Amino acid sequence: MTPRPESSGSRPKGTAGEKIPEQPTAAQKKSAAKKTAVPKQAAAKKATAPAKKAAAKKTPAAQSPATKATAKKAAPAKTTAKKAVAKQAAEKKAVAKKAAPAKATATKAAATAEKATPATATAEKAAATKTAAKKTTAKKATAKKATAAKATATKAVAKKATAVKAVAKKATPSKAPATKATAAKPPAKKTTAKKAPTKKAPAKKSTAGTAAAAPAQTTPPEMEIAVSPALGAADRDRLLNGTHHNPHSVLGAHPVPGGIAFRAFRPYALSVTVVAGDVRAELNDDGEGFFSGLLPLREVPEYRLLVEYEGTVLDTEDAYRFLPTLGDLDLHLIGEGRHEELWTALGAHPMTHQGVTGTRFSVWAPNALGVRVAGTFNFWDGTGHVMRSLGSSGVWELFLPDIGEGELYKFEITRPDGSKTMRADPLARRTEVPPATSSVITSSRYEWGDAEWLDRRAQAPAHEAPFSVYEVHLPSWRPGLTYRQLAEQLPRYVKDLGFTHVELMPVAEHPFGGSWGYQVTGFYAPTARLGTPDDFRFLVDSLHQAGIGVLMDWVPAHFPRDDWALAEFDGRPLYEHADPLRAAHPDWGTLEFDYGRNEVRNFLVANALYWCEEFHIDGLRVDAVASMLYLDYSREPGQWTPNEYGGRENLDAVAFLQEMNATVYRRVPGVVTVAEESTAWDGVTRATHHKGPSGFGGLGFGLKWNMGWMHDSLQYMSHEPVYRKYHHHEMTFSMVYAYSENYVLPISHDEVVHGKGSLVSKMPGDWWQQRANHRAYLGFMWAHPGKQLLFMGQEFAQGAEWSEAHGPDWWLLDPGYGAEPEHRGVRDLVRDLNTVYRATPALWRLDTDPAGFEWVVGDAADDNVVAFLRLDPEGNPLLSVSNFAPVVRQDYRLGVPEDVPAWHEAVNTDAAVYGGSDVTNPDPVKPEAQPWHGRPASIRLTLPPLSTVWLRPA
């Protein structure tokens, strides 16, 4: 490191090793020699002013044997030089800077090294050679600093003798006097070290030039002229203000001329001591939490710091002695937006670094003037824990030794305008329980037991396998249960009902429970409301071991404006788009991500992988895709800016979704992504490399929510049966586009809140008719091409709409409740629908292939009847017939394939066991040779009122 010039300010304690010797006369030599035995107490008093400034002038080289020899030979020249120097010093009012003879100093250093009093003796000699007039001049020059100098001299003699003795014993004889510099307080004002022998003033060449030349043969050049170890004013200010980009370059231990400079920044510390093997050296208190010292070492040793605070002493590693924990590859990938395991690079990670245990903190904040770490480990004062900037990457990093799991932390960011903000870690993997907002240091020790499940899930793609989903809001499914308690109940309940998957509403951390998790602030942390991240892993593992896949809602479309989270994270738009028209989400008061920025795109793509890889999530249902795809989404003319081609498509979002899907499918076998996309965007579930008519490649999703089917079918069911014939197309139109995408049929939380009522309450008629309509609709839904999703509470016909405050009305299933059989009957129907569904490949093998569906009758509007066949690849059929009229239809004729000898009921939603009127077809139904509905054979059925009947070959 290039030494810094000494700063101005008050003078520190001086040492013999810091002096630049002036050559004495013969008389002065004799006088000085007689004073070598003067008690150090007297010397301290006499050295109050002169010794303070003389200490920094003398070099370690003056103490060597070679120096002594040179001093003897150069006595005459030195006498003349001394006079010239004295005259110049007097003119500058610096008479007090005279030093003792080099020969006497060297002799005394050898004789008094064990007593650690070289500064005292030298000061005494300097004082004895001065005239009364010179003393008067020195007093004027140092009057303002007399008190500080006395205190310094006293401390140097009385308090640090032990530390200096230890250093002196370890130092070489030629450098014994210089060991005092390890505890010397560096000067704040300019000293004669700046006018050292290397200066080209003629008067000084005759003296110092000779003294410096001789020891060069035995002492390395960098050890010749000691520099001040104290920080300059600029570095001090930047560290104090939290705007230093490279604190490691000035703090810690650094080779400098004269040895190794140790610097520590420990606000509120009373003292800081360096411990290196047997060496203990207390650093000088430079004020405002800064400590420094110079040890005459040739290389940086392994060392620790003893930091004394009020009432305690902390034995710790120095955080500023460590190399960066992130390599060039990490930084390159982050800059390119291609770090697929970003969570391993950024955030807080307990680790062992250079043989020391601690925690690595790193954060992306390219606009910050400075970043500091604050937490419980430093009483939320990050002043002393300044992070370093890793070049142009925008990443700040700091390894803190002895800090481990469970500690709370945030990043204190200095914005471009100089103001400060305290921010939670965007990549925190654990958080405090809301409404608290701190991040928590964590690491996982969970041992998974779902290897068999992971192997099995990749055997068939989701769209060719049974896929019925139970949507769950975990905090309210059974209010008060933790992740581990849910793991005891949820898998058993879902398995009993026969669902293949659960979909968890956003489990990522969010501050407001009323958002149901859709306004995320902790994208990498499962909500702490229900337990730790490993507790969440336990829940997922338990579901897998029960044979149930786990989907989770993922929210990359927007984030809230909380001032401790992502909004203007480092003082400027960072995660959000810089254009206010692109940043503000008009519907939810949130901010939209800037998908065109490499690091932001990386943040989200890596987040998708994080949940799949770290928590074994089987699929991501991506929320609000439509709001991402369109620049004019919920915006009026003039409130949005067209793309580069003049269109309304958000090209950055398209590229992001394509990259996310391609990356997830490449890295995680068997995973599925599901888009909640409510428009007719072309190619949502088409491969990213296949372009459609619009010119875009597919978005690459595995499945898409069929919002059109959901809207149309619920609209149809809400009408009184007498009017349904006028809306018959609402139940059949979905087959016009059924194979344009790979669909999921969703009855989600969005349809049972905010005044929409529960599913059963949407149905017309009295309570019996409502439940009958509810059951008939579920039967139609499970038979329709596409996968199924049902929100919790709808499986037992809950009458009230859902509220996150209390969850499903489980009391409806209490045997003591009078209507319990009616609600339990609906739940039993859902169980049987799932059972038959999973056992009937015709209902799922060709979900995305038109060959798997055939209309029987789709235009019986006057009858309110819809009938169709579902087929598996081998041609095995299932016949689904729905009668949405409240009347029984006897001998209702339907055309069927002639090669099926008989049909029998597999499911009848009107069965008494489900709470129906029990109008059934108990015996096998045989085809007749009468053509009907364009088929060569037909059967006659009794259709129950408001029902769906499934028939399979007998």
Side-chain angles (χ1 to χ4, degrees), residues 16-338:
E18 293 179 314
K19 287 188 176 181
I20 294 189
E22 295 179 353
Q23 307 307 317
T25 64
Q28 287 173 326
K29 286 183 183 180
K30 183 176 181 181
S31 176
K34 291 180 179 180
K35 292 181 171 61
T36 56
V38 175
K40 57 188 177 182
Q41 292 85 351
K45 293 179 180 180
K46 294 180 181 180
T48 301
K52 181 181 179 185
K53 293 189 177 180
K57 296 174 64 177
K58 189 170 185 180
T59 67
Q63 320 310 323
S64 67
T67 303
K68 292 193 288 183
T70 303
K72 289 179 180 180
K73 294 178 181 179
K78 290 177 182 176
T79 301
T80 303
K82 178 186 174 185
K83 292 179 180 179
V85 172
K87 183 179 180 180
Q88 184 182 18
E91 292 172 356
K92 295 181 180 180
K93 296 184 179 181
V95 177
K97 296 180 181 177
K98 284 187 179 179
K103 178 179 178 183
T105 303
T107 303
K108 188 170 71 172
T112 61
E114 289 296 323
K115 294 182 179 181
T117 60
T120 304
T122 303
E124 180 195 12
K125 291 189 292 180
T129 61
K130 297 187 183 333
T131 64
K134 290 180 180 179
K135 287 184 179 179
T136 302
T137 303
K139 287 179 182 179
K140 290 179 180 180
T142 60
K144 294 182 180 180
K145 300 166 186 169
T147 303
K150 288 179 182 178
T152 305
T154 303
K155 186 175 181 182
V157 175
K159 287 190 173 182
K160 301 186 178 178
T162 302
V164 177
K165 282 181 182 179
V167 177
K169 289 178 181 179
K170 294 184 73 67
T172 60
S174 64
K175 299 181 181 66
T179 59
K180 185 67 177 178
T182 61
K185 186 173 181 181
K189 273 193 176 181
K190 290 184 178 179
T191 70
T192 54
K194 197 170 183 181
K195 303 176 183 178
T198 54
K199 289 271 187 175
K200 297 185 178 179
K204 295 188 177 182
K205 279 186 178 180
S206 62
T207 58
T210 305
Q217 301 173 8
T218 57
T219 307
E222 68 272 12
M223 299 290 286
E224 290 182 0
I225 305 172
V227 301
S228 167
L231 287 179
D235 283 317
R236 286 172 65 108
D237 288 345
R238 290 164 64 197
L239 288 169
L240 287 169
N241 294 326
T243 59
H244 208 296
H245 277 67
N246 193 10
H248 294 70
S249 68
V250 293
L251 299 178
H254 299 275
V256 298
I260 303 298
F262 289 84
R263 305 186 189 99
F265 182 32
R266 293 281 175 163
Y268 314 112
L270 302 179
S271 68
V272 176
T273 301
V274 172
V275 179
D278 295 332
V279 177
R280 293 167 65 95
E282 183 177 336
L283 303 182
N284 290 301
D285 186 345
D286 299 334
E288 297 183 289
F290 292 94
F291 299 82
S292 65
L294 184 66
L295 270 68
L297 303 173
R298 293 179 179 273
E299 59 184 23
V300 176
E302 292 288 331
Y303 70 95
R304 295 179 66 83
L305 298 179
L306 295 180
V307 186
E308 180 185 359
Y309 294 98
E310 189 73 34
T312 187
V313 176
L314 177 66
D315 182 355
T316 183
E317 297 281 354
D318 185 358
Y320 295 95
R321 79 172 184 84
F322 295 96
L323 296 172
T325 57
L326 293 177
D328 290 340
L329 179 60
D330 284 313
L331 300 178
H332 173 75
L333 292 175
I334 291 171
E336 289 288 314
R338 302 290 180 182

Side-chain angles (χ1 to χ4, degrees), residues 400-419:
L400 289 183
D402 307 321
I403 304 299
E405 293 184 56
E407 298 278 7
L408 308 182
Y409 71 98
K410 283 187 177 181
F411 295 115
E412 183 188 89
I413 295 175
T414 303
R415 300 183 179 104
D417 64 0
S419 62

Side-chain angles (χ1 to χ4, degrees), residues 562-818:
D562 299 79
D563 59 7
W564 48 267
L566 297 183
E568 292 191 350
F569 182 75
D570 59 2
R572 292 178 181 167
L574 188 65
Y575 288 91
E576 66 271 38
H577 203 283
D579 181 354
L581 294 179
R582 294 277 297 272
H585 198 294
D587 287 347
W588 305 309
T590 53
L591 296 170
E592 297 183 12
F593 283 101
D594 182 0
Y595 305 107
R597 186 160 190 167
N598 288 347
E599 297 90 344
V600 175
R601 188 176 63 251
N602 194 168
F603 174 83
L604 293 171
V605 172
N607 187 242
L609 289 171
Y610 172 74
W611 290 105
C612 295
E613 295 186 3
E614 292 291 323
F615 293 92
H616 292 196
I617 296 297
D618 302 292
L620 301 172
R621 177 266 192 184
V622 183
D623 182 64
V625 172
S627 73
M628 301 165 64
L629 291 174
Y630 298 98
L631 295 171
D632 62 345
Y633 184 88
S634 289
R635 293 176 172 90
E636 299 298 327
Q639 296 180 341
W640 61 281
T641 304
N643 62 33
E644 59 189 282
Y645 302 108
R648 58 197 285 255
E649 299 84 5
N650 187 335
L651 303 181
D652 292 335
V654 171
F656 156 68
L657 291 171
Q658 291 174 329
E659 180 182 347
M660 181 276 297
N661 282 309
T663 306
V664 167
Y665 277 106
R666 170 171 53 82
R667 287 188 54 133
V668 192
V671 76
V672 62
T673 58
V674 185
E676 186 216 11
E677 205 283 311
S678 56
T679 73
W681 183 278
D682 175 53
V684 173
T685 59
R686 189 171 61 240
T688 58
H689 59 283
H690 289 167
K691 290 188 177 181
S694 63
F696 289 108
L699 297 182
F701 284 93
L703 299 167
K704 172 185 174 178
W705 274 19
N706 194 335
M707 309 294 282
W709 172 90
M710 178 271 298
H711 179 271
D712 289 346
S713 61
L714 288 180
Q715 184 72 17
Y716 175 88
M717 295 301 298
S718 68
H719 295 298
E720 290 285 348
V722 68
Y723 301 115
R724 284 176 176 168
K725 63 181 180 180
Y726 304 111
H727 301 274
H728 192 76
H729 64 282
E730 293 175 344
M731 291 299 271
T732 61
F733 180 69
S734 60
M735 290 311 303
V736 172
Y737 60 86
Y739 300 104
S740 62
E741 303 281 4
N742 305 333
Y743 282 116
V744 174
L745 311 179
I747 300 298
S748 71
H749 65 278
D750 280 328
E751 307 315 312
V752 296
V753 292
H754 298 324
K756 296 179 182 178
S758 65
L759 181 58
V760 71
S761 68
K762 297 177 189 296
M763 307 301 172
D766 57 23
W767 174 234
W768 188 94
Q769 290 178 323
Q770 284 182 312
R771 286 185 295 110
N773 275 302
H774 182 95
R775 295 192 304 268
Y777 182 73
L778 292 178
F780 170 78
M781 172 181 173
W782 252 253
H784 192 282
K787 312 307 181 182
Q788 300 79 38
L789 179 141
L790 188 65
F791 184 63
M792 63 184 193
Q794 312 316 302
E795 76 274 17
F796 57 83
Q798 173 177 312
E801 68 178 22
W802 169 69
S803 167
E804 77 281 353
H806 57 74
D809 292 335
W810 295 109
W811 56 270
L812 296 173
L813 299 174
D814 189 335
Y817 176 59

Side-chain angles (χ1 to χ4, degrees), residues 387-454:
M387 303 180 75
R388 65 177 147 205
S389 173
L390 299 181
S392 62
S393 67
V395 175
W396 300 75
E397 181 264 0
L398 180 64
F399 176 76
L400 289 183
D402 307 321
I403 304 299
E405 293 184 56
E407 298 278 7
L408 308 182
Y409 71 98
K410 283 187 177 181
F411 295 115
E412 183 188 89
I413 295 175
T414 303
R415 300 183 179 104
D417 64 0
S419 62
K420 290 178 170 53
T421 178
M422 196 76 81
R423 297 292 175 137
D425 183 358
L427 277 93
R429 290 165 295 129
R430 183 181 174 189
T431 69
E432 280 190 287
V433 178
T437 60
S438 296
S439 304
V440 183
I441 300 173
T442 188
S443 61
S444 176
R445 295 179 179 82
Y446 188 78
E447 296 183 6
W448 290 90
D450 62 348
E452 182 181 347
W453 166 266
L454 296 181

